[in-house]
Amino acid sequence: MIVLSVNAGSSSLKFQAFDMPEETVLISGVFERIGMKESFYTIKLNGEKIKKEVELKNHERAMELVMEELIDNKIVESLDEIKAIGHRIAQGGPYFDKTEEMTDENIKKVKELSVLAPLHNPAAVKGIKAAMEVVPNALQTGAFDTAFHQTIEEENYMYPVPYEWCEKYKVRKYGFHGTSHKYVSSRMNEILGRYNTKLITCHIGNGASVSAIKEGICVNTSMGLTPNSGLMMGSRCGDMDATVITYMMQQLDCTAEEMDTILNKQSGLLGISGISSDSRDIEDGIKIGNQRCNLAQKMFTNRIIDHIAKYYVELGGCDAIVFTAGIGENSIHTRREILDGLAVLGVKIDEEANDCRGIERLITTEDSSIPCYIIPTNEELMIARDTYALYQQKENKKELEANEII
Ligand code: AMP
């Protein structure tokens, strides 16, 4: 059965078509510059990449082209074969703790939560509506970046601010990258061969977060109300003294919106190095003795080590630490610095094993107190799995109802 995973951004749309339950990727693609000049899309099929320059007026046009590609490349003969489409949604707020069918009522909730994710949730709604328009008979589901973190207890998700802020304005920790933390933690449990585990998962990409997971359930995570909290990131500041914000707004005489842009787009590795938000550029800078790149990298890894140590205590130990996402999977240097920083806990890096990129692997020695692994993330597959499971549930229910009537 064909299931699509869709990730719509404000001017982009990524998709992957899976054959389920085999989990084979049949075709994938990215549409860029939707609603802008010089729009184009790239399709990946049979190991080949094809770029096509076309006008992409809106998300619906992009979705129509997804369907044309599926038919032209003989992935399906008719659109009726596409039974379910799973959409990635950033903010599910307090409403969604798992992947859900996108009914009218649920779409309304996603829209309502746009105040908390103004760039992401409206784009996801566009993607869902476009898919509904183009494939009206398919089940549409929403997989939320926040859902996996809904198990976090109140004392960990509340901020020490006036209580009404949470009640009236929904101010609390929600966490993000949930689909990725869920995927790598369940894979980690598979590797360990047991589920009564305490895991610390580090999703370190341009955006970065660490989660503490006990027996498959998330007990804490570093991102908060928005993805700009916890760790230092490519261009986001993460945690710091909240008064820096009001103090600097006065000094720079800037608006809340301008400050938000600085803290999200001009801070982090970029802000400190003054060069780049990309960890590869920071590593190159370090190699030629750039002191600010050195400082940026130290600040970056220190914060990851701090969070791992905090969650180690919070979990009362740890059975495995997982590294994933762009930097976690690929930066030998960053992983080494983190593992060296954890030596006090008895963590011992296996230098030879760590000398790799983008593959699933144990990177600590046999006598390391905590085994540490690289597990490449696969959020699209997780979305497809959840969507397939929901589809199966609905079909089973239909069958039961039909049998009762008979
Ligand atoms: P993501 O947000 O997960 O796509 O991760 C993007 C980040 O991964 C980029 O900004 C890079 O900093 C980092 N990255 C990707 N490849 C490498 C690499 N080979 N070495 C170091 N960092 C990398």
Side-chain angles (χ1 to χ4, degrees), residues 222-343:
S222 61
M223 280 182 171
L225 172 75
T226 73
N228 192 6
S229 80
L231 305 178
M232 172 175 167
M233 298 172 227
S235 63
R236 294 178 214 151
C237 59
D239 286 353
M240 61 175 183
D241 181 343
T243 310
V244 170
I245 300 169
T246 45
Y247 171 68
M248 283 312 296
M249 280 174 77
Q250 284 159 358
Q251 298 303 309
L252 301 173
D253 190 22
C254 69
T255 62
E257 206 178 321
E258 285 164 343
M259 181 48 82
D260 203 46
T261 304
I262 297 171
L263 298 177
N264 276 289
K265 304 215 164 118
Q266 296 161 20
S267 301
L269 290 175
L270 173 64
I272 296 299
S273 71
I275 286 183
S276 172
S277 60
D278 191 304
S279 84
R280 286 165 288 201
D281 298 333
I282 304 298
E283 287 181 26
D284 289 345
I286 294 169
K287 279 182 205 144
I288 57 164
N290 182 314
Q291 285 313 307
R292 276 176 54 187
C293 285
N294 219 4
L295 173 64
Q297 177 72 12
K298 279 207 176 113
M299 290 170 68
F300 185 76
T301 48
N302 276 355
R303 280 159 173 74
I304 298 168
I305 296 163
D306 286 352
H307 273 82
I308 295 175
K310 173 175 140 66
Y311 291 159
Y312 177 85
V313 172
E314 217 165 297
L315 286 167
C318 176
D319 295 305
I321 297 172
V322 181
F323 293 99
T324 195
I327 300 172
E329 290 168 29
N330 295 301
S331 175
I332 296 159
H333 180 74
T334 302
R335 285 194 306 259
R336 183 190 300 120
E337 280 193 356
I338 296 167
L339 296 184
D340 284 350
L342 296 171

Side-chain angles (χ1 to χ4, degrees), residues 112-402:
E112 182 197 317
L113 290 165
S114 292
V115 281
L116 296 176
L119 294 178
H120 297 98
N121 274 28
V125 171
K126 274 188 198 168
I128 297 165
K129 293 223 159 135
M132 283 174 155
E133 202 60 45
V134 179
V135 202
N137 295 327
L139 167 73
Q140 309 284 341
T141 70
F144 298 87
D145 280 8
T146 50
F148 184 59
H149 306 302
Q150 278 295 299
T151 45
I152 295 174
E153 297 279 354
E154 202 176 14
E155 67 263 30
N156 282 337
Y157 75 64
M158 286 297 287
Y159 292 126
V161 289
Y163 192 80
E164 320 78 79
W165 287 16
C166 182
E167 291 177 313
K168 206 167 161 193
Y169 302 103
K170 298 191 175 71
V171 168
R172 48 160 282 188
K173 174 186 281 197
Y174 292 106
F176 293 86
H177 294 147
T179 310
S180 175
H181 288 289
K182 183 176 165 188
Y183 177 82
V184 296
S185 60
S186 77
R187 177 68 196 130
M188 190 67 252
N189 282 339
E190 255 174 44
I191 295 169
L192 294 173
R194 59 193 180 94
Y195 295 85
N196 59 341
T197 55
K198 295 167 182 172
L199 305 178
I200 298 174
T201 51
C202 309
H203 177 113
I204 315 171
N206 200 20
S209 63
V210 179
S211 288
I213 300 161
K214 195 173 179 186
E215 295 175 6
I217 290 189
C218 184
V219 294
N220 213 342
T221 195
S222 61
M223 280 182 171
L225 172 75
T226 73
N228 192 6
S229 80
L231 305 178
M232 172 175 167
M233 298 172 227
S235 63
R236 294 178 214 151
C237 59
D239 286 353
M240 61 175 183
D241 181 343
T243 310
V244 170
I245 300 169
T246 45
Y247 171 68
M248 283 312 296
M249 280 174 77
Q250 284 159 358
Q251 298 303 309
L252 301 173
D253 190 22
C254 69
T255 62
E257 206 178 321
E258 285 164 343
M259 181 48 82
D260 203 46
T261 304
I262 297 171
L263 298 177
N264 276 289
K265 304 215 164 118
Q266 296 161 20
S267 301
L269 290 175
L270 173 64
I272 296 299
S273 71
I275 286 183
S276 172
S277 60
D278 191 304
S279 84
R280 286 165 288 201
D281 298 333
I282 304 298
E283 287 181 26
D284 289 345
I286 294 169
K287 279 182 205 144
I288 57 164
N290 182 314
Q291 285 313 307
R292 276 176 54 187
C293 285
N294 219 4
L295 173 64
Q297 177 72 12
K298 279 207 176 113
M299 290 170 68
F300 185 76
T301 48
N302 276 355
R303 280 159 173 74
I304 298 168
I305 296 163
D306 286 352
H307 273 82
I308 295 175
K310 173 175 140 66
Y311 291 159
Y312 177 85
V313 172
E314 217 165 297
L315 286 167
C318 176
D319 295 305
I321 297 172
V322 181
F323 293 99
T324 195
I327 300 172
E329 290 168 29
N330 295 301
S331 175
I332 296 159
H333 180 74
T334 302
R335 285 194 306 259
R336 183 190 300 120
E337 280 193 356
I338 296 167
L339 296 184
D340 284 350
L342 296 171
V344 66
L345 297 180
V347 171
K348 288 188 190 160
I349 186 168
D350 179 337
E351 290 285 359
E352 211 174 298
N354 184 48
D355 193 11
C356 69
R357 301 183 202 276
I359 52 166
E360 187 176 287
R361 185 181 267 189
L362 172 68
I363 53 169
T364 42
T365 57
E366 261 180 41
D367 61 342
S368 174
S369 59
I370 309 169
C372 302
Y373 286 81
I374 303 168
I375 299 183
T377 194
N378 196 339
E379 287 159 289
E380 294 76 17
L381 174 59
M382 196 73 242
I383 294 171
R385 276 183 190 165
D386 280 0
T387 302
Y388 178 69
L390 256 183
Y391 177 83
Q392 295 289 98
Q393 264 174 34
K394 277 195 74 147
E395 288 300 296
N396 289 345
K397 201 170 157 216
K398 264 193 223 162
E399 206 173 307
L400 278 175
E401 281 168 3

